[in-house]
């Protein structure tokens, strides 16, 4: 896949996997934690082969409401396990030239604020540990334009995820098509300019329009052109 992408000139912005949830670094089952680290090692190698230096990492969770059967983990235990897990991956990431980018996910009960995220990332003292910033993941209570200047150049890669604060119950229906939510995109893009961010802007799409994928591609392209000033 990496060879094909390079041949036809497609850039691969990064690697991410849902496997960080069932095999979380913070899981109560030690075998699940061990498997999670093994899978993360494979993801690092996959990123290298694909030709990208970005790996989205979910460092752990206290509780994930979309996996209700998993037991909750105390905050201090989650922090200890997540720190140990990420630290163990740094040598491999450095060897393969891959950045471990921690994703901000408010709903998992872990790393609730930009200050907490910064403290976690900085604790490793490694250029291999950065932030994968998702604009929508924190919008139930926060605003991405407030996080960006605080996280600053720790941000290595970005998901643009549209969110509507008009949906008062936190679920996938709160995530919308670009420009169909309540995100202040001019403020977000201005904040990114101020920190001199020049990485990828990748739109992450969820429900509730699963049967219109081709139309969504064109809609997203048009929305990004407008957001970036290429079209008025």
């Amino acid at each position: 896949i990496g060879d094909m992408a390079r041949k036809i000139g497609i850039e691969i912005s990064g690697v991410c996997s849902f496997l960080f949830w069932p095999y979380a670094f913070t899981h109560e089952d030690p075998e699940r934690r061990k498997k999670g680290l093994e899978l993360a090692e494979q993801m690092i190698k996959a990123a290298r082969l694909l030709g990208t230096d970005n790996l989205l990492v979910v460092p752990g969770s206290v509780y994930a409401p979309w996996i209700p059967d998993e037991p909750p983990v105390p905050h201090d235990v989650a922090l200890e396990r997540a720190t140990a897990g990420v630290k163990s991956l740094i040598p491999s990431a450095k060897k393969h030239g891959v950045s471990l980018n921690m994703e901000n996910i408010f709903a998992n009960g872990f790393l609730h604020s930009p200050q907490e995220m910064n403290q976690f990332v900085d604790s490793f003292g490694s250029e291999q540990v950065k932030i994968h910033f998702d604009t929508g993941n924190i919008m139930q209570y926060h605003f991405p334009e407030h996080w960006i200047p605080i996280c600053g150049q720790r941000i290595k890669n970005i998901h643009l995820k549209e969110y509507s604060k008009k949906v008062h119950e936190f679920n996938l229906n709160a995530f919308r098509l670009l420009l169909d939510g309540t995100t202040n995109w001019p403020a977000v893009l201005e904040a990114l300019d101020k920190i001199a961010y020049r990485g990828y802007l990748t739109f992450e799409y969820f429900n509730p329009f699963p049967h219109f994928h081709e139309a969504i591609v064109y809609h997203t392209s048009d929305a990004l052109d407008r957001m970036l000033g290429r079209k008025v």
Side-chain angles (χ1 to χ4, degrees):
I1 293 171
D3 287 343
M4 282 195 299
R6 286 184 283 274
K7 183 177 179 181
I8 62 178
I10 292 177
E11 294 286 340
I12 297 176
S13 64
V15 170
C16 64
S17 172
F18 187 78
L19 292 171
F20 281 117
W21 294 111
Y23 300 101
F25 300 163
T26 52
H27 203 284
E28 286 289 76
D29 183 350
E31 290 302 313
R32 291 278 193 103
R33 298 200 298 270
K34 180 181 177 182
K35 182 68 173 177
L37 291 172
E38 292 172 355
L39 290 167
E41 288 276 0
Q42 295 300 314
M43 293 177 205
I44 290 170
K45 294 175 182 176
R48 176 181 60 81
L49 292 170
L50 289 167
T52 180
D53 62 350
N54 288 314
L55 173 61
L56 184 157
V57 176
V58 179
S61 68
V62 170
Y63 175 71
W66 46 89
I67 314 179
D69 295 332
E70 298 289 358
V73 180
H75 286 80
D76 57 338
V77 176
L79 179 60
E80 181 181 355
R81 290 174 180 170
T83 300
V86 173
K87 186 176 182 179
S88 72
L89 296 172
I90 291 175
S92 178
K94 188 172 183 178
K95 174 183 176 183
H96 294 295
V98 172
S99 180
L100 305 171
N101 302 328
M102 307 295 116
E103 186 179 25
N104 58 303
I105 305 176
F106 187 87
N108 68 354
F110 187 55
L111 304 177
H112 276 136
S113 70
Q115 290 86 352
E116 288 178 275
M117 176 63 85
N118 286 353
Q119 186 175 10
F120 183 73
V121 168
D122 292 348
S123 71
F124 299 100
S126 172
E127 285 299 310
Q128 305 306 130
V129 183
K130 297 290 186 181
I131 294 174
H132 180 106
F133 184 65
D134 187 304
T135 61
N137 280 349
I138 44 88
M139 276 194 66
Q140 185 179 13
Y141 301 113
H142 297 180
F143 299 86
E145 62 268 29
H146 296 168
W147 275 63
I148 290 166
I150 296 172
C151 295
Q153 294 190 350
R154 298 174 184 84
I155 297 174
K156 181 71 165 50
N157 206 3
I158 288 180
H159 271 158
L160 301 180
K161 190 146 79 227
E162 183 65 275
Y163 184 95
S164 175
K165 288 182 180 288
K166 296 178 183 179
V167 179
H168 299 296
E169 180 183 356
F170 184 78
N171 55 47
L172 292 183
N173 292 319
F175 297 119
R176 311 296 299 172
L177 295 175
L178 276 180
L179 305 182
D180 184 34
T182 57
T183 309
N184 185 346
W185 290 115
V188 170
L189 294 171
E190 182 181 0
L192 291 175
D193 270 340
K194 286 183 176 179
I195 67 167
Y197 179 78
R198 294 296 181 267
Y200 292 101
L201 298 174
T202 305
F203 176 51
E204 184 180 12
Y205 170 70
F206 277 97
N207 288 327
F209 306 110
H211 305 299
F212 300 96
H213 298 301
E214 184 175 351
I216 288 165
V217 169
Y218 287 104
H219 172 90
T220 301
S221 176
D222 180 74
L224 282 169
D225 281 344
R226 294 177 189 279
M227 289 163 60
L228 298 173
R230 297 177 180 176
K231 184 184 292 186
V232 294

